[in-house]
Amino acid sequence: MSYDAHKLKQIVEGALLAAGRPVSLDQLQGLFSEQEMPEKKDLRDVLTTLGEDYEGRGIEVVEVASGFRIQVRTELSPWISKLWVERPPKYSRALLETLALIAYRQPITRGEIEDIRGVAVSTNIIKTLTEREWVRVVGHRDVPGKPALYATTKEFLDYFNLKSLNELPTLAEIRDLDSINRELELLDPDKPPPPGPARIP
Amino acid sequence: MSYDAHKLKQIVEGALLAAGRPVSLDQLQGLFSEQEMPEKKDLRDVLTTLGEDYEGRGIEVVEVASGFRIQVRTELSPWISKLWVERPPKYSRALLETLALIAYRQPITRGEIEDIRGVAVSTNIIKTLTEREWVRVVGHRDVPGKPALYATTKEFLDYFNLKSLNELPTLAEIRDLDSINRELELLDPDKPPPPGPARIP
Amino acid sequence: MPFAVVQGEPWLTPPTDLYIPPDALEVFLDAFEGPLDLLLYLIRRQNLDILDIPIAKITDQYVSYIEMMNELRLELAAEYLVMAAMLAEIKSRMLLPRPVSDGDEHEEDPRAELIRRLQEYERYKQAAEDLDELEHMTRDTFQASAELVERHVEAVDPDVSLREIMLALSDVLHRADMFTSHRVEKEPLSVREKMSHVLERVSGRNFVSFTELFDISEGRLGVVVTFLAVLELIKGSLLELVQAEAFAPIHVKAKVS
């Protein structure tokens, strides 16, 4: 490894650890003067090498929405979490369901969340989600009362170790009553095929 | 290295980096259940090995009063410090007025600036302008207290790309600028139109 | 004392088709996220197909449950009662003979809307569980950080445009009502600039030769400007002219010793 690549790796490692938060490639480039500024490609290479260096170690390099982060490996959490007296927060189902609805259906109003969940959404939940900077108001729906439209933030993605919303677990499909009935009919060996032209479902 | 020593190193590294502050040997022992708790000697050994691993890297293990800490190498500071470079603040109105008066009425004392501005000029403003090397003391007025006379510098001219003070707009031009601004305000799309009959733009 | 009174009938023991253990009743309000959640629970625990809910059975279970909650004087959210009414309505519509369907234009199943809502809710209930399974910061993983002991705090100087200075000056002159003063207006800045230069040259020195102040390379105009500057400085008591005797060289001295 040339001196430059070596030095570059030191700086990138130092920056990621000193920042204590995800750092973007742009921010990494900003550490250098214009003459010595590395290409993004070189930075990516360095980050990959760094990740390889960390194999078998207590830490790893991950890419999340706001950039790259060095984090402690998940399998060490039983020990590491003992550093803090407080247990990590456990989120209520109501909060997680509200968050899930905002994540998957954004932008969405509180009323729409309530319609789907079948119960009122407490103001506290919205407050907690906003204070954690996981959700924010991105606009207002143009209906009477102009209800706020909520969406998730980069901090939400960072917290859940996601690069983008695309990486969210896939949502279960909704089965339609009619289509299921048709499927059942088609699969039923005792039943003659339905009359008329074949329909493509 | 045995499995245990390897795992131990992972945990110690993870703990020190997750903590982001010094961790004592007692605290490190506290991460383990009684059966698997390592001796302090073993922990010291692991910390030494970790320190050796970090040679040529961006970080190092140091022992401080309250325990062990992983810190970013000082020689990387010129780069890493840029992480915290803040957006330049804006100068206050008072500072700009003071600067303008020094430019147009030099050599001028602080008291004379205060007379024109009608308010006191804070020592900080003079200090900022002097530190920026835009303003310097060129003499003292022969009155009680012998107040300093301020003038602008060559650096001031350079910053504003002027060859001499003569290239500054004249007061008459500033008066024009003034009226131009008032017109611009009238055209400002963000501002509500003046009351009265609707005007077609 | 009966365990509960359901539809006027006293129950001495918990109903066997009620799949909720009685000790769960106290935590009822916490355990379920609303009527949809409760219904899903009843359906799932009995391995019923959500698309073919035995509506009469489920309704009975749901209603007996709600009544029991009332008996125990647990405060029920209004949503639970609304759902009970909806279930009762579906149940009665299911009992009515369905009109003969002509072709594809068949009457919608009375349960359709409920099934749609149940499924819709269930997918987000699942999504919430999936979300909780994801790696959480501060639970499963931790941000690694290391101190940078010697931070060079680099102060960045603010940018200033000439225009800002102009506006500031215009403001202050307006306030001081100095635009009306012709004296200020006519004064060429080159003289002011030269005043500063001359003052700087003489400050800290005892005597400076008068002629030394003039730089011939500045040309005729430059000499005039310097001369005006010196006069201005003398007028302002900043400079003093000294001549030992008549026709001796003139020296200049800052007025402040």
Side-chain angles (χ1 to χ4, degrees):
Chain A
M1 189 176 275
S2 78
Y3 168 78
D4 275 344
H6 184 73
K7 184 82 182 175
L8 194 57
K9 195 166 78 173
Q10 287 191 341
I11 295 172
V12 167
E13 179 177 46
L16 257 53
L17 288 173
R21 55 172 165 78
V23 183
S24 69
L25 293 178
D26 281 329
Q27 287 167 327
L28 284 175
Q29 282 186 318
L31 305 182
F32 300 87
S33 67
E34 250 169 71
Q35 303 93 288
E36 53 168 17
M37 187 186 291
E39 301 282 324
K40 289 201 177 161
K41 194 201 144 292
D42 295 336
L43 286 171
R44 277 198 180 274
D45 287 350
V46 161
L47 285 158
T48 308
T49 325
L50 206 55
E52 286 161 7
D53 290 351
Y54 289 168
E55 256 161 53
R57 298 264 311 276
I59 47 176
E60 61 187 339
V61 182
V62 293
E63 186 177 359
V64 292
S66 338
F68 291 84
R69 164 169 79 202
I70 296 177
Q71 65 183 34
V72 178
R73 287 188 191 275
T74 317
E75 60 262 37
L76 298 179
S77 76
W79 291 273
I80 309 295
S81 54
K82 294 217 186 74
L83 274 175
W84 295 277
V85 183
E86 269 176 62
R87 303 267 84 215
K90 187 139 174 37
Y91 298 105
S92 69
R93 272 183 56 200
L95 181 135
L96 287 167
E97 286 179 12
T98 305
L99 181 59
L101 275 160
I102 296 174
Y104 285 90
R105 297 280 296 253
Q106 56 189 296
I108 188 171
T109 67
R110 186 161 155 181
E112 288 157 3
I113 298 169
E114 291 175 340
D115 282 348
I116 296 174
R117 294 195 61 232
V119 277
V121 170
S122 88
T123 306
N124 251 339
I125 285 179
I126 297 288
K127 199 166 147 254
T128 306
L129 291 174
T130 314
E131 278 173 359
R132 294 231 56 173
E133 295 190 324
W134 286 351
V135 309
R136 66 178 198 285
V137 174
V138 290
H140 294 267
R141 203 176 280 300
D142 195 17
V143 294
K146 301 255 180 282
L149 285 163
Y150 293 94
T152 53
T153 61
K154 265 192 180 178
E155 284 74 19
F156 160 78
L157 294 171
D158 290 346
Y159 185 89
F160 289 98
N161 259 301
L162 303 167
K163 271 203 285 290
S164 78
L165 284 176
N166 282 342
E167 290 187 348
L168 280 174
T170 356
L171 214 49
E173 268 179 55
I174 291 270
R175 291 179 302 157
D176 180 60
L177 203 53
D178 287 344
S179 67
I180 290 292
N181 283 343
R182 271 200 302 278
E183 266 171 51
L184 289 176
E185 273 168 33
L186 286 173
L187 289 174
D188 195 344
D190 297 338
K191 244 190 161 173
R199 285 192 299 175
I200 292 130
Chain B
M1 192 176 271
S2 78
Y3 168 76
D4 275 343
H6 183 72
K7 185 82 180 177
L8 193 58
K9 194 166 80 172
Q10 287 191 341
I11 295 171
V12 168
E13 179 176 46
L16 257 52
L17 287 172
R21 53 170 167 81
V23 182
S24 68
L25 293 178
D26 282 330
Q27 286 168 323
L28 284 174
Q29 282 185 319
L31 307 182
F32 300 87
S33 66
E34 251 171 71
Q35 304 92 286
E36 53 169 16
M37 187 184 294
E39 300 284 324
K40 288 200 177 163
K41 194 202 144 297
D42 295 338
L43 286 171
R44 276 197 181 275
D45 286 349
V46 161
L47 284 159
T48 309
T49 327
L50 207 55
E52 285 161 8
D53 290 352
Y54 289 169
E55 251 158 58
R57 297 264 310 277
I59 46 178
E60 59 189 340
V61 182
V62 292
E63 186 174 1
V64 292
S66 42
F68 291 85
R69 165 170 78 194
I70 296 176
Q71 64 184 37
V72 177
R73 287 188 192 274
T74 314
E75 62 259 37
L76 299 177
S77 183
W79 292 273
I80 315 279
S81 291
K82 296 220 181 69
L83 276 175
W84 296 281
V85 166
E86 279 161 37
R87 286 286 88 219
K90 292 284 278 175
Y91 281 139
S92 66
R93 195 78 191 168
L95 182 138
L96 292 172
E97 288 182 6
T98 305
L99 178 60
L101 283 170
I102 294 175
Y104 278 84
R105 305 277 295 157
Q106 61 187 277
I108 189 170
T109 67
R110 185 160 147 186
E112 288 157 3
I113 299 169
E114 289 175 343
D115 284 347
I116 301 175
R117 289 195 57 232
V119 280
V121 170
S122 85
T123 309
N124 252 339
I125 286 179
I126 299 290
K127 195 166 153 259
T128 306
L129 289 172
T130 314
E131 277 173 0
R132 186 126 196 209
E133 298 189 320
W134 280 357
V135 159
R136 72 185 191 286
V137 174
V138 289
H140 295 266
R141 202 177 277 295
D142 191 22
V143 293
K146 306 256 184 280
L149 284 159
Y150 294 96
T152 51
T153 61
K154 192 174 170 309
E155 285 72 23
F156 168 82
L157 294 176
D158 288 347
Y159 183 88
F160 292 103
N161 257 309
L162 305 167
K163 275 200 283 296
S164 85
L165 272 188
N166 239 17
E167 291 183 13
L168 278 177
T170 63
L171 287 182
E173 282 169 327
I174 291 173
R175 197 158 40 186
D176 289 346
L177 180 79
D178 217 35
S179 51
I180 287 169
N181 270 331
R182 266 197 298 279
E183 272 164 44
L184 283 178
E185 258 168 49
L186 289 176
L187 294 173
D188 193 341
D190 294 336
K191 266 202 154 164
R199 285 191 302 178
I200 291 130
Chain C
M1 186 172 161
F3 176 76
V5 179
V6 178
Q7 291 163 340
E9 302 263 338
W11 288 63
L12 296 170
T13 52
T16 47
D17 58 350
L18 202 66
Y19 287 82
I20 298 145
D23 59 352
L25 291 176
E26 284 83 33
V27 288
F28 169 79
L29 286 176
D30 292 331
F32 292 103
E33 286 299 319
L36 289 171
D37 196 24
L38 173 57
L39 268 181
L40 269 179
Y41 174 83
L42 295 174
I43 292 163
R44 290 301 180 206
R45 282 303 283 264
Q46 296 168 85
N47 275 325
L48 301 173
D49 184 356
I50 200 166
L51 294 177
D52 193 18
I53 309 168
I55 205 76
K57 188 174 165 193
I58 287 292
T59 303
D60 288 347
Q61 288 177 3
Y62 184 91
V63 169
S64 61
Y65 199 96
I66 295 301
E67 285 178 355
M68 226 181 316
M69 300 314 297
N70 278 335
E71 285 298 314
L72 290 170
R73 298 186 196 288
L74 287 177
E75 217 173 292
L76 270 183
E79 291 98 339
Y80 285 97
L81 305 176
V82 173
M83 177 58 74
M86 183 183 174
L87 285 171
E89 199 228 324
I90 296 171
K91 186 176 157 188
S92 62
R93 274 171 61 200
M94 292 293 282
L95 293 174
L96 293 175
R98 296 172 80 175
V100 184
S101 64
D102 30 322
D104 284 345
E105 294 289 316
H106 62 84
E107 165 123 318
E108 200 187 34
D109 191 312
R111 300 169 301 178
E113 171 64 11
L114 178 66
I115 288 167
R116 192 196 58 75
R117 286 189 61 191
L118 280 170
Q119 281 197 94
E120 183 80 343
Y121 171 67
E122 191 176 33
R123 71 201 298 224
Y124 290 107
K125 183 185 164 177
Q126 183 61 48
E129 284 167 23
D130 293 346
L131 208 55
D132 204 29
E133 298 271 299
L134 291 176
E135 268 182 31
H136 285 221
M137 291 302 286
T138 74
R139 185 188 73 183
D140 310 308
T141 181
F142 306 86
Q143 168 75 52
S145 61
E147 188 94 11
L148 178 65
V149 182
E150 272 180 50
R151 271 196 212 178
H152 303 275
V153 180
E154 279 182 57
V156 178
D157 288 326
D159 286 324
V160 179
S161 68
L162 205 49
R163 187 189 154 81
E164 283 176 274
I165 296 186
M166 300 302 102
L167 289 172
L169 185 68
S170 144
D171 268 9
V172 72
L173 293 185
H174 264 299
R175 279 210 314 273
D177 210 20
M178 287 181 74
F179 270 133
T180 51
S181 155
H182 297 281
R183 189 179 61 82
V184 174
E185 250 176 273
K186 282 180 185 159
E187 211 167 44
L189 272 171
S190 51
V191 174
R192 292 238 152 235
E193 188 173 31
K194 191 54 91 179
M195 284 165 73
S196 295
H197 287 170
V198 170
L199 210 51
E200 205 183 17
R201 282 184 77 175
V202 301
S203 75
R205 293 169 70 182
N206 255 344
F207 291 99
V208 176
S209 154
F210 183 67
T211 50
E212 201 188 301
L213 296 175
F214 297 90
D215 184 355
I216 304 301
S217 70
E218 285 181 343
R220 200 184 152 77
L221 188 65
V223 171
V224 170
V225 166
T226 305
F227 187 67
L228 287 173
V230 170
L231 290 182
E232 243 347 283
L233 286 169
I234 292 168
K235 199 173 98 190
S237 308
L238 293 166
L239 214 63
E240 173 164 44
L241 289 183
V242 184
Q243 196 175 26
E245 55 193 86
F247 308 111
I250 298 171
H251 283 88
V252 184
K253 181 180 182 292
K255 200 75 188 288
V256 173
S257 43

